[in-house]
Amino acid sequence: MAGELVLLDFWPSPFGMRSRIALAEKGIPYEYREEDLRNKSDLLLQMNPAHKKIPVLIHNGKPVCESVIQVQYIDEVWHDKAPLIPSDPYQRAVARFWVDFIDKKIYELGSKIWKTKGEEQANAKKEFIECLKLLEGELGDKTYFGGESLGYVDVALVPFYSWFYAYEKCGDFSIEAECPKMIAWVKRCMQKESVAKSLPDQEKVYEFILQLKKVFGI
């Protein structure tokens, strides 16, 4: 099932990082192609005509779009190595629920923290911390969300750590002070080479966000 594998991506994308982690965790070689989102390649437009967005995973010429679908696909195709999605139907449903929660809440609230000021930013920070506390509750005393090994929820959430520093700088708060269990979990994840090598430097992401703020006139 190997064949040609290409990932169209953009380095600061937490969504692309999910696929990078999943592929690294399973030890699957692939070709990484960096996209210029202001001048999207013909290949990207051809492979994802519906959304014209990264990441796109191309396996033997066939595109798989949307990061969570890519992680599921990677796990199903290379199921014999480092399984990510639980085999138990109920545990699988729970994992899918939390990944959906992360997709609907974490990115949007994080974006509001760096894009807004005043009361709007304060509300976004408050809700962001509340969401992280809910996730801490789900993590409980487990090593990872998936139990003793890195799993689907871990892969979906940990890429946002590369953006945490930017959220803190823009919002003037400390995630570790508010959610120490979350940062302890991040540190465990970062001990895994598959995670550490897939996440960009936090300060580089912050510099990228400062440039975005200039572009948007924020």
Side-chain angles (χ1 to χ4, degrees), residues 15 48 63 67 72 97 99 121 140 150 175 206:
F15 302 104
N48 190 0
S67 63
Q72 290 168 13
F97 169 82
V99 170
Q121 188 188 60
L150 196 80
I175 293 170
Y206 177 53

Side-chain angles (χ1 to χ4, degrees), residues 62-202:
K62 295 176 187 169
V64 181
C65 303
E66 298 296 320
S67 63
V68 293
I69 296 170
Q70 286 169 21
V71 173
Q72 290 168 13
Y73 179 81
I74 291 162
D75 200 51
E76 286 169 11
V77 174
W78 293 277
H79 57 84
D80 56 325
K81 304 176 188 175
L84 298 170
I85 297 170
S87 55
D88 176 74
Y90 179 71
Q91 293 300 327
R92 195 159 60 238
V94 169
R96 283 179 175 151
F97 169 82
W98 285 109
V99 170
D100 184 62
F101 175 83
I102 291 160
D103 270 0
K104 286 175 177 163
K105 293 286 191 178
I106 300 299
Y107 180 71
E108 186 186 329
L109 290 168
S111 296
K112 277 187 183 172
I113 291 168
W114 70 262
K115 284 179 179 175
T116 62
K117 287 181 179 174
E119 191 179 349
E120 196 178 350
Q121 188 188 60
N123 289 336
K125 276 195 298 187
K126 182 172 176 284
E127 198 179 339
F128 183 77
I129 291 299
E130 284 168 1
C131 288
L132 290 186
K133 286 186 184 296
L134 278 170
L135 285 159
E136 282 187 325
E138 172 58 22
L139 178 64
D141 296 322
K142 301 192 293 284
T143 305
Y144 302 104
F145 285 93
E148 288 306 306
S149 56
L150 196 80
Y152 188 37
V153 181
D154 305 286
V155 172
L157 180 59
V158 79
F160 289 98
Y161 173 63
S162 59
W163 288 62
F164 277 9
Y165 177 71
Y167 299 158
E168 290 174 325
K169 293 287 281 185
C170 295
D172 190 28
F173 70 118
S174 165
I175 293 170
E176 187 163 24
E178 300 279 356
C179 304
K181 274 180 75 175
M182 177 61 58
I183 299 303
W185 161 80
V186 164
K187 286 175 180 171
R188 288 195 293 278
C189 291
M190 290 294 281
Q191 286 171 356
K192 294 188 76 69
E193 191 179 335
S194 59
V195 177
K197 286 197 167 179
S198 301
L199 268 57
D201 180 71
Q202 286 188 313

Side-chain angles (χ1 to χ4, degrees), residues 6-13 16-17 20 30-44 54-56 58 198 200 204 208:
V6 178
L7 182 66
L8 307 183
D9 200 359
F10 179 49
W11 70 268
S13 168
M17 290 174 215
R20 288 177 241 164
Y30 65 98
E31 181 189 343
Y32 178 92
R33 289 193 199 170
E34 182 77 7
E35 281 286 331
D36 177 358
L37 299 188
R38 286 169 298 188
N39 183 25
K40 295 172 184 177
S41 71
D42 290 340
L43 185 61
L44 174 60
I54 54 91
V56 179
I58 307 167
S198 301
K204 195 179 167 193
F208 168 72

